[in-house]
Amino acid sequence: MYKNKIIYFSICLLFLTQEAMAANTDIEFSGFASLVYAKTVDDDEGVLKGAASDIDNDGEYRDFSRLGFRMDAQLSDKLSFVTQVVAYGYEDFEPKFDWAYAAYQITPNVRIDVGRVRLPFYQYSDVLDVGYAYQWIAPPNTIYNKSYIQSIEGLKLNYTTELGEWTSDVVGYIGSSSDTLKSSDRTTTMDIDLEDTWGVAWTIDKDWVSLRAAYGHSKLSLDQSQIAYITDNVMILGDDINAEVDLINQADPSANIPTVDLSSVYDDMVLKNDDQDVLSLGTTMDFDNIFVIAEVIGSEYDANISIHKTRRAYFTLGGKLPHDISLSFTYGKQKSYVNDDIYENLDAALEPYLGATGLIGGLQDAGIYVQSATVEAVTKGSQDKVSDDYTLSARWDFQPNAAFKFEYLMQDIETDDRKPEAFRFGIDLVF
Amino acid sequence: MKIIKIFLVGILLNIGLSTTAFASMAIVVHPDNDNLISKSQLRKIYLGKTKTYPDGKHVIPLDTNTSSIKEIFNKQVLRKDDSNLHSYWSRMIFSGKAKPPKEVDTSSDVLEIVSKNKSAIGYVLSDEIDDRVKVILVIE
């Protein structure tokens, strides 16, 4: 499916490039590259969770490096075509079309983009892959987790206007997307679908400050084959109980024990076409030699065993030194909340049978307890995550289009009682 | 925590960038262009935040490769040093929001283009202007 899309976009690209050349239109090529090495300090503390890939004690160069090319073809005064191809090291540098859209400038202030466009959920979503564009080696992991869809097929409306000294930039979008994403430990893949995706992002900025607010909504579906043994077992459990109840009722019709229905519990655990809402607030401030970057995100999901509600934030304080060197400290915090409803609903549904040892065999009764405990443990284990991230970053722009960066990272994972530390360094280029 | 303390001390000891003395700079447009702009509006034009003159007509900003005047313009008008500006434009280009101004080699090229194109705007040193262009703002 994805290869078909690549072929489709390649043909479009070839066609448009030829058209543009035939029409003697303006074509601009640009690109970026990030070459990064990362390693944990102490093997005993385990891996440090990274945005795209975990950092381990073996040290890794390939997984954190990437290369991108962008083509802007100005087909007429108002019409242009843009495509951006990125090859990620953790995907074996297989080229991926992150952007491919036609842009039409309706008025000097209004532009519509149609095609594959970036999902502007967060402050740095548009330039997530362009390391040179920001202070860190990678934007804070607390918010910028790459295990998520970055682009949608749809349309984006951009409206820019002036509000006195301020510039206002409103982006509205609608579309859908699907992709297969790898977990940060690269061991598993997950199919993810976003349907009915829409949202709005509003940024106002003036000389030294930028303020941003964004809201996004979509219908989210996840392939949960990894937890199917739990979700399926809930239904099997219901069937087992009802088979037992049927036997008892047949033997003694006066018992009249009701059957159990666990389908609503199952629905709560399976994320299929369920609502996802994301609200984000962000700011950047530049006081000549001191700069501040901050962002806070709230995500809400329909009840689900793996994700339910998250709160994430980071704050960066930095200073600029002579010789194009800047230093910064970033603190990030994230918390995922347990979805109590799932196991509470399960317990409530099973409660009449738990006390019915005399009616349902002891073996079955024990099975119910085991199933209930498993669901509760997995639910809590997968959701109740709290972590604090500390990052010290240094950036040196040793060339006008190249920066060397070094970072020390520490992650305090409360729920795992681990404090992995890591360092990474690399070069970001634009050309 | 020790590393964080060292870092904070480093920030507090941060040394400010020195400013450079410079001759005045003229912002020039085509003689038929009747717009007047402020320094703030000029900054927005050169940072790609606005694509029009105050009268709503399309604006084409011109940059110059002459490093001495370019550096002054970037510091005085855009209030960004070289690395900040490169980082800023990488954000704008790769997010598709704007493209940097067209670059020409010298002030003579700026004057030549501005004298022929009613949408163009450029910057030159005040002692470089001639009667082919109109000055709409002077940066002291």
Side-chain angles (χ1 to χ4, degrees), chain A residues 2 5-14 17 28-34 65-72 81-101 116-118 126 128-130 146 151 429 431, chain B residues 93-94:
Chain A
Y2 194 73
K5 283 183 183 174
I6 290 177
I7 292 167
Y8 167 74
F9 281 123
S10 299
I11 291 169
C12 286
L13 180 64
L14 185 65
T17 306
E28 290 176 13
F29 292 95
S30 43
F32 56 86
S34 292
S65 299
R66 59 192 177 273
L67 179 68
F69 291 100
R70 181 184 176 93
M71 186 198 75
D72 281 75
F81 176 76
V82 176
T83 186
Q84 190 163 297
V85 184
V86 185
Y88 301 98
Y90 62 81
E91 289 183 344
D92 300 327
F93 292 105
E94 187 179 328
K96 191 171 182 177
F97 279 79
D98 269 7
W99 310 51
Y101 62 85
R116 185 165 174 79
V117 295
R118 184 51 67 98
D126 283 347
L128 192 54
D129 300 315
V130 189
K146 291 273 297 191
S151 302
L429 311 164
F431 46 91
Chain B
I93 291 169
F94 291 108

Side-chain angles (χ1 to χ4, degrees), chain A residues 26 31-32 70 74 84 99 108 111 126-127 132-133 162 164-167 205 207 289-290 317 319-321 324 327-329 392 397 400, chain B residues 3-4 7-8 10-11 14-17 40 43-44 49-52 56 79 81 83-84 86-87 90-91 93-97 99 102:
Chain A
D26 189 14
F32 56 86
R70 181 184 176 93
Q74 196 69 42
Q84 190 163 297
W99 310 51
R111 193 188 77 229
D126 283 347
V127 290
Y132 184 82
E162 291 181 52
E165 290 292 299
W166 296 79
T167 301
D205 70 270
D207 294 351
N289 292 329
I290 302 288
L317 172 66
K320 296 170 196 166
L321 301 173
D324 293 321
L327 301 173
S328 66
F329 167 68
L392 289 176
D397 287 76
Chain B
I3 295 173
I4 294 169
F7 162 78
L8 289 173
I11 291 290
N14 183 12
I15 302 164
L17 293 171
S40 164
R43 184 170 190 265
K44 285 183 181 179
K49 293 178 187 243
T50 180
K51 296 179 174 68
T52 59
R79 293 206 284 277
D81 59 32
S83 57
N84 277 346
H86 272 94
S87 184
S90 70
R91 284 197 295 278
I93 291 169
F94 291 108
S95 65
K97 287 181 178 166
K99 293 176 188 173
K102 294 277 181 198

